[in-house]
Amino acid sequence: MTVAPPLPLESYWADFEVDDSDIELVYNLMLEREAPLTAGEMGAAIIAGRIERLRRQAEEAAKPEHTAYRPGDRYEAGTQLSFPALQGKVGVVTGVRQGENPGLGAFEVIAVSFDDDGGTREFASSFEEHALNQVPDASEDQDQLLSPEGVLSAYGALIEARLTAHLEQQEDIVRIAWRWFPRALLAEIHEGHLNLAEAVLDVASGGPLPTTSLLEHIELPDTVDPLLAAFSLDYALQEDERFDEVGPAGEVLWFLQRNEPPEVLYTPSRLQFEPIPYNRNVLTPDLLDLERRLDDELNPQEGPVEEATELTIPVLFPHWRVGALPLSARLRPFFPTAYEAPRIRFVLVDGHTGDKFPGWVVRKEAYVFGLDEWYRRHHVPAGGLVRIRPGDAAGEVVVQAVDRRTRSDWIRTVSIDQEGQIGFTMLKQPVGTAYDERMVVGLVDPAALDEAWMRGSQRKMSLERLAAYVFRELAKLNPQSAVHAQAFYSGLNVLRRIPPGPLFALLMERPYYEHVGDLYWRFDDSQWN
């Protein structure tokens, strides 16, 4: 016979909060297994423990001497009551008085004393209109929520999230790759062990290596559980600034930080951006659609992201200059992610030759680094079209240049005048791939540009003045003196890293930009001051 649960289980699990008994159960489980646990494993154990507690409470509440409290019933002093909503606590009625709320009609108030230091509390009685008067049935749905499998299916994610939030506040328990263990029970990892790990990684050109490979060179007592040994070493490595965990989700890989490319440890100046407030409400549907298609990692993510098996994008100038790709909303699913690691090392595959080379995902700043030599090898220009798709093996991403053949075309090219001012002109340039005509930017002398860019005053100009300067430079290259919003975005990013949104807002709000249709604008000098 199934005992009716002490309260509606949908509310019980939906309102789940971690309590001391849950944490005690988790600690005992880790001590018993002598191994770190995931929040999912701990959550499953907590659910099983809570279900057993509910069963005991239901059985206790069903005893004849313990009447289940319901607001609609009337009680005399001396009556023993069980309270399902208080996890089955039992108390004794010590007094009865009339209720004092005219808006609720006639009812009584009982004082109930609890033995377990619960003190005395008051509850309504003889109160017919109350939700707790409904006795929960041991229905099929309720039975499902009294099974670990049913609760995990319906509420496992919620319970795991609340348990994780609680554990993150505890100082005596630590986490590595989403496994947890008491700090005091970690295996001892001393400085000698860490120096050995550093030497092993040094021989491997910095890594990456899994923890198991490092443990082969570190002698820990045979009595230490292998999982605990790996967890303890991972924690010690994490706390030492010499080491970086660079593995994708579900895999722990270690790398020597000093061997990582500087562009991975520190955001290249070409990609640095200071947020600019602007009014997104002025952007038209066409501009919003263009913004989405530009795949800028600095774009706000709005709405669902379309799934794709591959994507082709034009490489924005600052990404091209440092050998990067944007980790935009549409591109993010193609690259590995991680639970905690800020940087992830993975494998890029040349779609033309099959050659493999290292790539890095820089999660917080949202870019992928490692393509500089590949861009140069295939003569990919800024604005060149690159196709991205998953590789055949996990953790690999294939990059392929579109229409890889050398040609010589008249394209928009960076110019530098005698005063070091950066502008644009049309020059015939060799390019090795197909490109987006509105995004392409040729470059004759990279060193001269870098010097002008670093020393020049243009980067110090306000966005409004710099944007107007770039717009007029681009307008000179078009017989109609019109500039497309996409070309405006591409050109301005030669001088300053900026996402499309603020630029498009300028086009819509400033009177000196005159819209002439199809996302083209002209500059009205009479409105400029």
Side-chain angles (χ1 to χ4, degrees):
M1 175 181 175
T2 301
V3 178
L7 74 163
L9 289 174
E10 292 86 352
S11 300
Y12 179 85
W13 294 115
D15 296 337
F16 173 87
E17 295 292 343
V18 180
D19 62 25
D20 291 342
S21 63
D22 297 324
I23 296 302
E24 182 179 357
L25 183 151
V26 163
Y27 271 80
N28 289 337
L29 185 61
M30 287 189 287
L31 292 175
E32 177 186 329
R33 297 188 184 181
E34 297 183 343
L37 301 175
T38 66
E41 291 168 334
M42 290 185 280
I46 288 173
I47 289 169
R50 287 287 192 106
I51 288 174
E52 179 58 31
R53 190 192 308 177
L54 287 171
R55 292 189 189 280
R56 291 198 304 268
Q57 291 171 359
E59 291 171 356
E60 185 71 16
K63 292 180 180 180
E65 66 271 22
H66 295 159
T67 302
Y69 164 74
R70 293 186 185 86
D73 294 342
R74 189 173 187 279
Y75 303 104
E76 302 289 341
T79 304
Q80 280 193 319
L81 296 177
S82 66
F83 290 81
L86 299 180
Q87 299 185 351
K89 284 186 176 182
V90 176
V92 178
V93 178
T94 58
V96 181
R97 63 177 177 81
Q98 289 297 316
E100 300 176 352
N101 192 329
L104 297 178
F107 69 98
E108 294 180 337
V109 177
I110 58 173
V112 179
S113 175
F114 296 94
D115 292 333
D116 57 349
D117 296 326
T120 298
R121 297 174 60 178
E122 291 189 333
F123 301 87
S125 67
S126 302
F127 189 3
E128 296 181 0
E129 300 297 327
H130 197 286
L132 291 179
N133 289 326
Q134 303 299 318
V135 179
D137 296 324
S139 64
E140 183 177 341
D141 288 343
Q142 292 280 290
D143 283 346
Q144 185 73 6
L145 294 181
L146 278 171
S147 74
E149 297 79 13
V151 176
L152 278 171
S153 175
Y155 296 98
L158 179 146
I159 291 170
E160 185 175 337
R162 292 185 180 174
L163 175 60
T164 297
H166 187 87
L167 292 173
E168 287 174 342
Q169 304 302 315
Q170 310 304 307
E171 295 184 356
D172 58 342
I173 189 168
V174 295
R175 178 181 70 187
I176 294 288
W178 292 90
R179 288 185 178 273
W180 303 80
F181 199 71
R183 186 192 303 270
L185 300 180
L186 294 175
E188 182 183 1
I189 304 294
H190 53 65
E191 187 67 20
H193 293 145
L194 296 175
N195 291 339
L196 274 174
E198 181 181 17
V200 172
L201 286 168
D202 228 347
V203 172
S205 301
L209 290 177
T211 313
T212 51
S213 296
L214 300 178
L215 281 171
E216 293 174 0
H217 301 270
I218 295 175
E219 296 183 0
L220 293 178
D222 295 337
T223 55
V224 178
D225 179 270
L227 187 58
L228 178 57
F231 185 90
S232 300
L233 179 57
D234 284 339
Y235 180 71
L237 293 170
Q238 176 185 265
E239 297 301 295
D240 192 306
E241 62 183 13
R242 290 173 289 179
F243 307 96
D244 251 355
E245 201 283 291
V246 298
E251 186 176 6
V252 176
L253 296 173
W254 292 99
F255 208 94
L256 283 180
Q257 189 175 105
R258 68 171 181 268
N259 286 52
E260 294 176 12
E263 296 88 350
V264 171
L265 293 171
Y266 310 100
T267 305
S269 53
R270 282 280 184 187
L271 299 183
Q272 293 176 6
F273 165 70
E274 292 293 332
I276 299 169
Y278 67 99
N279 182 10
R280 286 188 61 79
N281 293 327
V282 302
L283 303 187
T284 66
D286 285 345
L287 284 172
L288 290 171
D289 180 63
L290 174 59
E291 178 189 54
R292 179 190 62 81
R293 290 186 284 110
L294 287 173
D295 284 298
D296 194 303
E297 75 274 17
L298 302 176
N299 284 345
Q301 184 170 334
E302 298 174 344
V305 178
E306 62 188 71
E307 296 184 6
T309 56
E310 66 176 35
L311 279 177
T312 299
I313 68 165
V315 184
L316 187 66
F317 183 88
H319 293 132
W320 172 82
R321 192 72 187 91
V322 302
L325 283 171
L327 202 61
S328 65
R330 292 200 305 162
L331 281 170
R332 194 173 294 119
F334 291 89
F335 294 93
T337 186
Y339 296 129
E340 299 179 76
R343 296 168 288 276
I344 308 164
R345 192 178 186 273
F346 69 104
V347 176
L348 284 163
V349 181
D350 188 325
H352 306 287
T353 65
D355 293 344
K356 298 181 179 181
F357 53 102
W360 293 84
V361 170
V362 183
R363 293 176 61 210
K364 183 179 178 181
E365 286 73 21
Y367 63 91
V368 175
F369 178 77
L371 292 110
D372 181 49
E373 195 276 333
W374 185 83
Y375 287 152
R376 286 187 277 108
R377 183 194 313 167
H378 295 297
H379 305 287
V380 179
L385 298 178
V386 175
R387 185 175 295 121
I388 300 126
R389 60 179 173 83
D392 296 330
E396 293 184 352
V397 180
V398 178
V399 287
Q400 187 172 0
V402 176
D403 190 13
R404 191 168 58 97
R405 60 182 177 85
T406 302
R407 71 211 76 181
S408 187
D409 290 342
W410 287 93
I411 61 173
R412 183 169 51 252
T413 303
V414 175
S415 64
I416 304 169
D417 65 20
Q418 294 181 346
E419 297 178 355
Q421 289 286 97
I422 299 169
F424 297 93
T425 188
M426 295 296 291
L427 286 179
K428 201 167 190 179
Q429 295 283 301
V431 292
T433 67
Y435 53 85
D436 186 314
E437 292 185 357
R438 295 178 182 135
M439 297 284 288
V440 68
V441 177
L443 182 57
V444 176
D445 190 340
L449 172 63
D450 289 345
E451 182 177 359
W453 185 76
M454 292 296 295
R455 296 186 178 182
S457 60
Q458 290 168 296
R459 285 198 301 150
K460 300 177 183 178
M461 296 168 62
S462 68
L463 173 61
E464 188 161 352
R465 299 198 69 83
L466 181 61
Y469 168 80
V470 169
F471 190 99
R472 286 185 283 190
E473 281 287 301
L474 297 175
K476 293 187 302 184
L477 309 181
N478 187 309
Q480 289 78 37
S481 299
V483 177
H484 192 278
Q486 186 173 354
F488 184 36
Y489 160 72
S490 173
L492 188 53
N493 269 276
V494 173
L495 282 86
R496 182 183 300 178
R497 180 69 183 99
I498 189 166
L503 297 187
F504 294 170
L506 283 179
L507 291 175
M508 297 300 299
E509 292 183 319
R510 298 301 185 263
Y512 42 84
Y513 294 117
E514 178 188 358
H515 185 226
V516 293
D518 294 333
L519 296 181
Y520 280 91
W521 274 260
R522 288 198 185 99
F523 198 89
D524 185 352
D525 285 286
S526 68
Q527 297 289 331
W528 173 253
N529 52 37

